[in-house]
Amino acid sequence: MTRYSKLFEQTQLEGLQLKTKTAMAPMTRCFADDETGVVNTEIAEYYRRRAKDGIGLIISEGVVISDRAKGNPGVPGIYTQEQIEAWKEVTNAVHDEGGTIIAQIWHVGRLSHHELIKGQQPQAPSAIAAAGQVPRFRKPYEIPEEMTKADIKEVVAQYAQVAKNALEAGFDGVEIHGAHGYLIDQFNSEFSNKRTDEYGGDLKQRLTFMKEVISAVINAIGAERVIIRFSPHKVDAPEYRWDDAEKAIQTYVEAFKEVGVKIIHPSMLNFYEDVKDGKNLYEIVRNYWSGPIIGVGDLTPESAERALEAGWIDVAAIGRPLISNPDYLHRIQQGEPLVEYDAATHLPKLI
Ligand SMILES: Cc1cc2nc3c(=O)[nH]c(=O)nc-3n(C[C@H](O)[C@H](O)[C@H](O)COP(=O)(O)O)c2cc1C
């Protein structure tokens, strides 16, 4: 009998059947073919090992929705037939082991560089460059092109199309990447969205683009297999916090309910960070949202178990420890030590 009884319970998140209340957090690994965005057998085996270990929900690395959505070399796509066909090997591998896998669909917006996106200018809600450099590429972020309404319509349609492609490729659903300062979050945030049309204004109004994306994806594949990820954290503004976390959460949750979202994935770097009056983010979210919540952020088996017991979350997502331990659940069940994650050692290869 394991001491992590909640973590090892089966669960059903709407249309997703999970062997345990654990998820593999989405993690970009940059092992796809850089030119074609096509995945390979090595990547399929990487995900297979986590499914075999019993991870309940595998959320894939960010998968881009178009050429222009890409922000790092070697990131896979799911918008060409070749890409879709290649993903079938991954989804088959996970399903062979009785696992469940969804694709995280991603557009980086302004967090890119024209050399990464076939000479195009990065696109964003407003023509404001992000601070800093493209990771692994060491070139400063460029001034993006402000998206027209036609651009917005095009991108929303791309999200819907790749959601369908994901099902064709054998994924059990999708997670919309609305977090961490990428395109959707650029619309959501006051410092990257200075628009004066219906896509800009106060937070409620800035969430318009996100709502349109969610609606289009839900229309395409049904709400019971769609997750939305969102966060106060931005990769290009690490110090950023919501002014009033409770108010922000209320506004997001209202938007989610309006468009019929069923599963949410609020993302924190540190799950237990005090965001307001001694409360963690998930505690506050739970006051407004009774449906399934995935939690994340430096969770250990103990702290994940505690969060599940408290009822703040329904599934605990684990990131870096799953890069360094393909047999994470086996180890914690047997009381064996975990291999500590080290970016320098673990990122250059897939184990
Ligand atoms: C190498 C690496 C790549 C990541 N790539 C993504 C990504 O593609 N999409 C995303 O939403 N989050 C990404 N993240 C964030 C993780 O999903 C997760 O939220 C974060 O690592 C915190 O969880 P942890 O403390 O358990 O690692 C990445 C994190 C790491 C370490």
Side-chain angles (χ1 to χ4, degrees), residues 28-57:
T28 292
R29 300 302 311 270
C30 305
F31 284 95
D33 183 275
D34 189 44
E35 193 48 39
T36 60
V38 167
V39 294
N40 53 46
T41 302
E42 204 194 345
I43 295 172
E45 292 307 309
Y46 162 79
Y47 287 116
R48 178 198 292 278
R49 287 191 281 276
R50 277 73 185 172
K52 192 171 183 179
D53 186 46
I55 294 297
L57 178 67

PDB file of all heavy atoms in Angstrom, residues 28-57:
ATOM      1  N   THR A  28       8.693  21.518 -23.520  1.00  0.00           N
ATOM      2  CA  THR A  28       9.368  21.650 -24.800  1.00  0.00           C
ATOM      3  C   THR A  28      10.731  20.995 -24.724  1.00  0.00           C
ATOM      4  O   THR A  28      11.502  21.243 -23.792  1.00  0.00           O
ATOM      5  CB  THR A  28       9.516  23.154 -25.126  1.00  0.00           C
ATOM      6  OG1 THR A  28       8.212  23.658 -25.370  1.00  0.00           O
ATOM      7  CG2 THR A  28      10.402  23.397 -26.315  1.00  0.00           C
ATOM      8  N   ARG A  29      11.039  20.129 -25.683  1.00  0.00           N
ATOM      9  CA  ARG A  29      12.304  19.423 -25.657  1.00  0.00           C
ATOM     10  C   ARG A  29      13.153  19.672 -26.898  1.00  0.00           C
ATOM     11  O   ARG A  29      14.329  19.332 -26.927  1.00  0.00           O
ATOM     12  CB  ARG A  29      12.060  17.914 -25.449  1.00  0.00           C
ATOM     13  CG  ARG A  29      11.346  17.536 -24.153  1.00  0.00           C
ATOM     14  CD  ARG A  29      12.073  18.000 -22.904  1.00  0.00           C
ATOM     15  NE  ARG A  29      13.474  17.658 -22.919  1.00  0.00           N
ATOM     16  CZ  ARG A  29      13.999  16.524 -22.448  1.00  0.00           C
ATOM     17  NH1 ARG A  29      13.198  15.620 -21.910  1.00  0.00           N
ATOM     18  NH2 ARG A  29      15.293  16.297 -22.493  1.00  0.00           N
ATOM     19  N   CYS A  30      12.550  20.180 -27.981  1.00  0.00           N
ATOM     20  CA  CYS A  30      13.307  20.572 -29.185  1.00  0.00           C
ATOM     21  C   CYS A  30      14.007  19.404 -29.880  1.00  0.00           C
ATOM     22  O   CYS A  30      15.143  19.542 -30.356  1.00  0.00           O
ATOM     23  CB  CYS A  30      14.316  21.665 -28.849  1.00  0.00           C
ATOM     24  SG  CYS A  30      13.601  23.105 -28.076  1.00  0.00           S
ATOM     25  N   PHE A  31      13.342  18.247 -29.924  1.00  0.00           N
ATOM     26  CA  PHE A  31      13.935  17.092 -30.614  1.00  0.00           C
ATOM     27  C   PHE A  31      13.249  16.755 -31.935  1.00  0.00           C
ATOM     28  O   PHE A  31      13.557  15.734 -32.557  1.00  0.00           O
ATOM     29  CB  PHE A  31      13.937  15.862 -29.697  1.00  0.00           C
ATOM     30  CG  PHE A  31      15.016  15.924 -28.647  1.00  0.00           C
ATOM     31  CD1 PHE A  31      14.744  16.401 -27.376  1.00  0.00           C
ATOM     32  CD2 PHE A  31      16.311  15.537 -28.956  1.00  0.00           C
ATOM     33  CE1 PHE A  31      15.746  16.480 -26.411  1.00  0.00           C
ATOM     34  CE2 PHE A  31      17.323  15.615 -27.998  1.00  0.00           C
ATOM     35  CZ  PHE A  31      17.042  16.090 -26.730  1.00  0.00           C
ATOM     36  N   ALA A  32      12.311  17.613 -32.355  1.00  0.00           N
ATOM     37  CA  ALA A  32      11.671  17.369 -33.662  1.00  0.00           C
ATOM     38  C   ALA A  32      12.591  17.877 -34.768  1.00  0.00           C
ATOM     39  O   ALA A  32      13.542  18.634 -34.509  1.00  0.00           O
ATOM     40  CB  ALA A  32      10.329  18.086 -33.720  1.00  0.00           C
ATOM     41  N   ASP A  33      12.305  17.478 -36.002  1.00  0.00           N
ATOM     42  CA  ASP A  33      13.082  17.962 -37.137  1.00  0.00           C
ATOM     43  C   ASP A  33      12.831  19.467 -37.276  1.00  0.00           C
ATOM     44  O   ASP A  33      11.678  19.903 -37.372  1.00  0.00           O
ATOM     45  CB  ASP A  33      12.629  17.221 -38.405  1.00  0.00           C
ATOM     46  CG  ASP A  33      13.464  17.638 -39.592  1.00  0.00           C
ATOM     47  OD1 ASP A  33      13.131  18.673 -40.217  1.00  0.00           O
ATOM     48  OD2 ASP A  33      14.456  16.951 -39.876  1.00  0.00           O
ATOM     49  N   ASP A  34      13.919  20.249 -37.273  1.00  0.00           N
ATOM     50  CA  ASP A  34      13.738  21.707 -37.235  1.00  0.00           C
ATOM     51  C   ASP A  34      13.074  22.249 -38.498  1.00  0.00           C
ATOM     52  O   ASP A  34      12.313  23.222 -38.445  1.00  0.00           O
ATOM     53  CB  ASP A  34      15.092  22.390 -37.007  1.00  0.00           C
ATOM     54  CG  ASP A  34      14.914  23.880 -36.750  1.00  0.00           C
ATOM     55  OD1 ASP A  34      14.003  24.230 -35.975  1.00  0.00           O
ATOM     56  OD2 ASP A  34      15.653  24.677 -37.345  1.00  0.00           O
ATOM     57  N   GLU A  35      13.360  21.628 -39.607  1.00  0.00           N
ATOM     58  CA  GLU A  35      12.829  22.121 -40.879  1.00  0.00           C
ATOM     59  C   GLU A  35      11.340  21.784 -41.048  1.00  0.00           C
ATOM     60  O   GLU A  35      10.538  22.638 -41.427  1.00  0.00           O
ATOM     61  CB  GLU A  35      13.664  21.477 -42.015  1.00  0.00           C
ATOM     62  CG  GLU A  35      13.483  22.065 -43.392  1.00  0.00           C
ATOM     63  CD  GLU A  35      13.574  23.601 -43.441  1.00  0.00           C
ATOM     64  OE1 GLU A  35      14.419  24.197 -42.729  1.00  0.00           O
ATOM     65  OE2 GLU A  35      12.766  24.196 -44.187  1.00  0.00           O
ATOM     66  N   THR A  36      10.995  20.537 -40.701  1.00  0.00           N
ATOM     67  CA  THR A  36       9.623  20.073 -40.990  1.00  0.00           C
ATOM     68  C   THR A  36       8.710  20.041 -39.762  1.00  0.00           C
ATOM     69  O   THR A  36       7.502  19.878 -39.907  1.00  0.00           O
ATOM     70  CB  THR A  36       9.675  18.644 -41.566  1.00  0.00           C
ATOM     71  OG1 THR A  36      10.288  17.786 -40.576  1.00  0.00           O
ATOM     72  CG2 THR A  36      10.492  18.578 -42.846  1.00  0.00           C
ATOM     73  N   GLY A  37       9.290  20.146 -38.560  1.00  0.00           N
ATOM     74  CA  GLY A  37       8.466  20.051 -37.347  1.00  0.00           C
ATOM     75  C   GLY A  37       7.878  18.672 -37.136  1.00  0.00           C
ATOM     76  O   GLY A  37       6.814  18.511 -36.518  1.00  0.00           O
ATOM     77  N   VAL A  38       8.572  17.648 -37.620  1.00  0.00           N
ATOM     78  CA  VAL A  38       8.072  16.268 -37.549  1.00  0.00           C
ATOM     79  C   VAL A  38       8.740  15.530 -36.384  1.00  0.00           C
ATOM     80  O   VAL A  38       9.951  15.636 -36.187  1.00  0.00           O
ATOM     81  CB  VAL A  38       8.336  15.557 -38.902  1.00  0.00           C
ATOM     82  CG1 VAL A  38       8.136  14.050 -38.798  1.00  0.00           C
ATOM     83  CG2 VAL A  38       7.439  16.140 -39.988  1.00  0.00           C
ATOM     84  N   VAL A  39       7.931  14.764 -35.609  1.00  0.00           N
ATOM     85  CA  VAL A  39       8.485  13.997 -34.488  1.00  0.00           C
ATOM     86  C   VAL A  39       8.985  12.627 -34.962  1.00  0.00           C
ATOM     87  O   VAL A  39       8.729  12.236 -36.104  1.00  0.00           O
ATOM     88  CB  VAL A  39       7.454  13.841 -33.339  1.00  0.00           C
ATOM     89  CG1 VAL A  39       7.142  15.183 -32.701  1.00  0.00           C
ATOM     90  CG2 VAL A  39       6.170  13.158 -33.826  1.00  0.00           C
ATOM     91  N   ASN A  40       9.691  11.919 -34.069  1.00  0.00           N
ATOM     92  CA  ASN A  40      10.344  10.675 -34.484  1.00  0.00           C
ATOM     93  C   ASN A  40      10.173   9.574 -33.428  1.00  0.00           C
ATOM     94  O   ASN A  40       9.565   9.793 -32.379  1.00  0.00           O
ATOM     95  CB  ASN A  40      11.833  10.946 -34.749  1.00  0.00           C
ATOM     96  CG  ASN A  40      12.470  11.627 -33.535  1.00  0.00           C
ATOM     97  OD1 ASN A  40      12.260  11.208 -32.400  1.00  0.00           O
ATOM     98  ND2 ASN A  40      13.225  12.698 -33.762  1.00  0.00           N
ATOM     99  N   THR A  41      10.760   8.432 -33.712  1.00  0.00           N
ATOM    100  CA  THR A  41      10.609   7.259 -32.843  1.00  0.00           C
ATOM    101  C   THR A  41      11.171   7.501 -31.437  1.00  0.00           C
ATOM    102  O   THR A  41      10.608   7.034 -30.439  1.00  0.00           O
ATOM    103  CB  THR A  41      11.334   6.056 -33.486  1.00  0.00           C
ATOM    104  OG1 THR A  41      10.746   5.857 -34.771  1.00  0.00           O
ATOM    105  CG2 THR A  41      11.206   4.799 -32.666  1.00  0.00           C
ATOM    106  N   GLU A  42      12.280   8.235 -31.361  1.00  0.00           N
ATOM    107  CA  GLU A  42      12.905   8.505 -30.060  1.00  0.00           C
ATOM    108  C   GLU A  42      11.914   9.266 -29.151  1.00  0.00           C
ATOM    109  O   GLU A  42      11.817   9.006 -27.943  1.00  0.00           O
ATOM    110  CB  GLU A  42      14.158   9.364 -30.320  1.00  0.00           C
ATOM    111  CG  GLU A  42      15.200   9.274 -29.250  1.00  0.00           C
ATOM    112  CD  GLU A  42      16.235  10.386 -29.402  1.00  0.00           C
ATOM    113  OE1 GLU A  42      16.312  11.048 -30.466  1.00  0.00           O
ATOM    114  OE2 GLU A  42      16.966  10.604 -28.425  1.00  0.00           O
ATOM    115  N   ILE A  43      11.184  10.197 -29.762  1.00  0.00           N
ATOM    116  CA  ILE A  43      10.192  10.987 -29.016  1.00  0.00           C
ATOM    117  C   ILE A  43       9.020  10.085 -28.592  1.00  0.00           C
ATOM    118  O   ILE A  43       8.525  10.173 -27.466  1.00  0.00           O
ATOM    119  CB  ILE A  43       9.726  12.190 -29.881  1.00  0.00           C
ATOM    120  CG1 ILE A  43      10.905  13.140 -30.114  1.00  0.00           C
ATOM    121  CG2 ILE A  43       8.549  12.914 -29.233  1.00  0.00           C
ATOM    122  CD1 ILE A  43      10.656  14.272 -31.114  1.00  0.00           C
ATOM    123  N   ALA A  44       8.624   9.185 -29.477  1.00  0.00           N
ATOM    124  CA  ALA A  44       7.536   8.249 -29.138  1.00  0.00           C
ATOM    125  C   ALA A  44       7.930   7.388 -27.935  1.00  0.00           C
ATOM    126  O   ALA A  44       7.130   7.169 -27.011  1.00  0.00           O
ATOM    127  CB  ALA A  44       7.214   7.364 -30.349  1.00  0.00           C
ATOM    128  N   GLU A  45       9.174   6.930 -27.926  1.00  0.00           N
ATOM    129  CA  GLU A  45       9.637   6.066 -26.828  1.00  0.00           C
ATOM    130  C   GLU A  45       9.747   6.837 -25.516  1.00  0.00           C
ATOM    131  O   GLU A  45       9.481   6.294 -24.435  1.00  0.00           O
ATOM    132  CB  GLU A  45      10.971   5.391 -27.191  1.00  0.00           C
ATOM    133  CG  GLU A  45      10.830   4.377 -28.321  1.00  0.00           C
ATOM    134  CD  GLU A  45       9.738   3.335 -28.061  1.00  0.00           C
ATOM    135  OE1 GLU A  45       9.727   2.722 -26.982  1.00  0.00           O
ATOM    136  OE2 GLU A  45       8.868   3.152 -28.948  1.00  0.00           O
ATOM    137  N   TYR A  46      10.122   8.107 -25.596  1.00  0.00           N
ATOM    138  CA  TYR A  46      10.191   8.999 -24.418  1.00  0.00           C
ATOM    139  C   TYR A  46       8.817   9.094 -23.749  1.00  0.00           C
ATOM    140  O   TYR A  46       8.675   8.937 -22.534  1.00  0.00           O
ATOM    141  CB  TYR A  46      10.713  10.348 -24.910  1.00  0.00           C
ATOM    142  CG  TYR A  46      10.505  11.573 -24.054  1.00  0.00           C
ATOM    143  CD1 TYR A  46      11.325  11.835 -22.952  1.00  0.00           C
ATOM    144  CD2 TYR A  46       9.526  12.518 -24.391  1.00  0.00           C
ATOM    145  CE1 TYR A  46      11.163  13.005 -22.212  1.00  0.00           C
ATOM    146  CE2 TYR A  46       9.369  13.679 -23.667  1.00  0.00           C
ATOM    147  CZ  TYR A  46      10.187  13.916 -22.571  1.00  0.00           C
ATOM    148  OH  TYR A  46      10.029  15.080 -21.851  1.00  0.00           O
ATOM    149  N   TYR A  47       7.780   9.324 -24.549  1.00  0.00           N
ATOM    150  CA  TYR A  47       6.433   9.402 -23.973  1.00  0.00           C
ATOM    151  C   TYR A  47       5.940   8.022 -23.537  1.00  0.00           C
ATOM    152  O   TYR A  47       5.249   7.889 -22.536  1.00  0.00           O
ATOM    153  CB  TYR A  47       5.463  10.059 -24.960  1.00  0.00           C
ATOM    154  CG  TYR A  47       5.670  11.559 -25.092  1.00  0.00           C
ATOM    155  CD1 TYR A  47       6.081  12.142 -26.286  1.00  0.00           C
ATOM    156  CD2 TYR A  47       5.454  12.400 -23.996  1.00  0.00           C
ATOM    157  CE1 TYR A  47       6.266  13.524 -26.396  1.00  0.00           C
ATOM    158  CE2 TYR A  47       5.644  13.780 -24.091  1.00  0.00           C
ATOM    159  CZ  TYR A  47       6.044  14.337 -25.297  1.00  0.00           C
ATOM    160  OH  TYR A  47       6.228  15.698 -25.396  1.00  0.00           O
ATOM    161  N   ARG A  48       6.296   6.987 -24.290  1.00  0.00           N
ATOM    162  CA  ARG A  48       5.874   5.623 -23.924  1.00  0.00           C
ATOM    163  C   ARG A  48       6.336   5.280 -22.501  1.00  0.00           C
ATOM    164  O   ARG A  48       5.571   4.727 -21.703  1.00  0.00           O
ATOM    165  CB  ARG A  48       6.451   4.591 -24.895  1.00  0.00           C
ATOM    166  CG  ARG A  48       6.069   3.151 -24.513  1.00  0.00           C
ATOM    167  CD  ARG A  48       6.954   2.125 -25.168  1.00  0.00           C
ATOM    168  NE  ARG A  48       6.783   2.054 -26.611  1.00  0.00           N
ATOM    169  CZ  ARG A  48       5.808   1.382 -27.236  1.00  0.00           C
ATOM    170  NH1 ARG A  48       4.921   0.714 -26.525  1.00  0.00           N
ATOM    171  NH2 ARG A  48       5.748   1.375 -28.547  1.00  0.00           N
ATOM    172  N   ARG A  49       7.589   5.635 -22.176  1.00  0.00           N
ATOM    173  CA  ARG A  49       8.131   5.282 -20.858  1.00  0.00           C
ATOM    174  C   ARG A  49       7.295   5.915 -19.731  1.00  0.00           C
ATOM    175  O   ARG A  49       7.074   5.296 -18.696  1.00  0.00           O
ATOM    176  CB  ARG A  49       9.595   5.699 -20.756  1.00  0.00           C
ATOM    177  CG  ARG A  49      10.519   4.810 -21.578  1.00  0.00           C
ATOM    178  CD  ARG A  49      11.989   5.062 -21.269  1.00  0.00           C
ATOM    179  NE  ARG A  49      12.499   6.257 -21.937  1.00  0.00           N
ATOM    180  CZ  ARG A  49      12.944   6.284 -23.197  1.00  0.00           C
ATOM    181  NH1 ARG A  49      12.951   5.191 -23.935  1.00  0.00           N
ATOM    182  NH2 ARG A  49      13.401   7.411 -23.716  1.00  0.00           N
ATOM    183  N   ARG A  50       6.850   7.161 -19.922  1.00  0.00           N
ATOM    184  CA  ARG A  50       6.044   7.827 -18.871  1.00  0.00           C
ATOM    185  C   ARG A  50       4.651   7.180 -18.779  1.00  0.00           C
ATOM    186  O   ARG A  50       4.076   7.095 -17.693  1.00  0.00           O
ATOM    187  CB  ARG A  50       5.914   9.328 -19.158  1.00  0.00           C
ATOM    188  CG  ARG A  50       7.104  10.187 -18.684  1.00  0.00           C
ATOM    189  CD  ARG A  50       8.315  10.000 -19.540  1.00  0.00           C
ATOM    190  NE  ARG A  50       9.496  10.703 -19.045  1.00  0.00           N
ATOM    191  CZ  ARG A  50      10.698  10.531 -19.581  1.00  0.00           C
ATOM    192  NH1 ARG A  50      10.898   9.700 -20.592  1.00  0.00           N
ATOM    193  NH2 ARG A  50      11.738  11.181 -19.085  1.00  0.00           N
ATOM    194  N   ALA A  51       4.105   6.778 -19.924  1.00  0.00           N
ATOM    195  CA  ALA A  51       2.793   6.121 -19.906  1.00  0.00           C
ATOM    196  C   ALA A  51       2.910   4.766 -19.203  1.00  0.00           C
ATOM    197  O   ALA A  51       2.074   4.392 -18.381  1.00  0.00           O
ATOM    198  CB  ALA A  51       2.285   5.937 -21.325  1.00  0.00           C
ATOM    199  N   LYS A  52       3.975   4.043 -19.494  1.00  0.00           N
ATOM    200  CA  LYS A  52       4.211   2.727 -18.902  1.00  0.00           C
ATOM    201  C   LYS A  52       4.368   2.836 -17.383  1.00  0.00           C
ATOM    202  O   LYS A  52       3.939   1.965 -16.624  1.00  0.00           O
ATOM    203  CB  LYS A  52       5.486   2.139 -19.521  1.00  0.00           C
ATOM    204  CG  LYS A  52       5.688   0.702 -19.218  1.00  0.00           C
ATOM    205  CD  LYS A  52       6.821   0.143 -20.030  1.00  0.00           C
ATOM    206  CE  LYS A  52       6.963  -1.342 -19.753  1.00  0.00           C
ATOM    207  NZ  LYS A  52       8.022  -1.939 -20.519  1.00  0.00           N
ATOM    208  N   ASP A  53       4.968   3.929 -16.942  1.00  0.00           N
ATOM    209  CA  ASP A  53       5.163   4.168 -15.516  1.00  0.00           C
ATOM    210  C   ASP A  53       3.831   4.415 -14.807  1.00  0.00           C
ATOM    211  O   ASP A  53       3.766   4.328 -13.587  1.00  0.00           O
ATOM    212  CB  ASP A  53       6.100   5.377 -15.347  1.00  0.00           C
ATOM    213  CG  ASP A  53       6.483   5.639 -13.905  1.00  0.00           C
ATOM    214  OD1 ASP A  53       6.834   4.657 -13.201  1.00  0.00           O
ATOM    215  OD2 ASP A  53       6.418   6.802 -13.463  1.00  0.00           O
ATOM    216  N   GLY A  54       2.788   4.783 -15.570  1.00  0.00           N
ATOM    217  CA  GLY A  54       1.469   4.992 -14.961  1.00  0.00           C
ATOM    218  C   GLY A  54       1.036   6.451 -14.852  1.00  0.00           C
ATOM    219  O   GLY A  54       0.029   6.744 -14.199  1.00  0.00           O
ATOM    220  N   ILE A  55       1.782   7.352 -15.473  1.00  0.00           N
ATOM    221  CA  ILE A  55       1.362   8.760 -15.462  1.00  0.00           C
ATOM    222  C   ILE A  55      -0.047   8.844 -16.065  1.00  0.00           C
ATOM    223  O   ILE A  55      -0.303   8.301 -17.139  1.00  0.00           O
ATOM    224  CB  ILE A  55       2.366   9.634 -16.253  1.00  0.00           C
ATOM    225  CG1 ILE A  55       3.731   9.665 -15.542  1.00  0.00           C
ATOM    226  CG2 ILE A  55       1.821  11.048 -16.468  1.00  0.00           C
ATOM    227  CD1 ILE A  55       3.740  10.278 -14.158  1.00  0.00           C
ATOM    228  N   GLY A  56      -0.960   9.529 -15.365  1.00  0.00           N
ATOM    229  CA  GLY A  56      -2.366   9.516 -15.762  1.00  0.00           C
ATOM    230  C   GLY A  56      -2.632  10.262 -17.059  1.00  0.00           C
ATOM    231  O   GLY A  56      -3.337   9.776 -17.932  1.00  0.00           O
ATOM    232  N   LEU A  57      -2.089  11.470 -17.144  1.00  0.00           N
ATOM    233  CA  LEU A  57      -2.347  12.308 -18.318  1.00  0.00           C
ATOM    234  C   LEU A  57      -1.022  12.862 -18.829  1.00  0.00           C
ATOM    235  O   LEU A  57      -0.348  13.611 -18.115  1.00  0.00           O
ATOM    236  CB  LEU A  57      -3.259  13.485 -17.945  1.00  0.00           C
ATOM    237  CG  LEU A  57      -3.561  14.466 -19.083  1.00  0.00           C
ATOM    238  CD1 LEU A  57      -4.402  13.792 -20.171  1.00  0.00           C
ATOM    239  CD2 LEU A  57      -4.283  15.703 -18.553  1.00  0.00           C
TER     240      LEU A  57
END
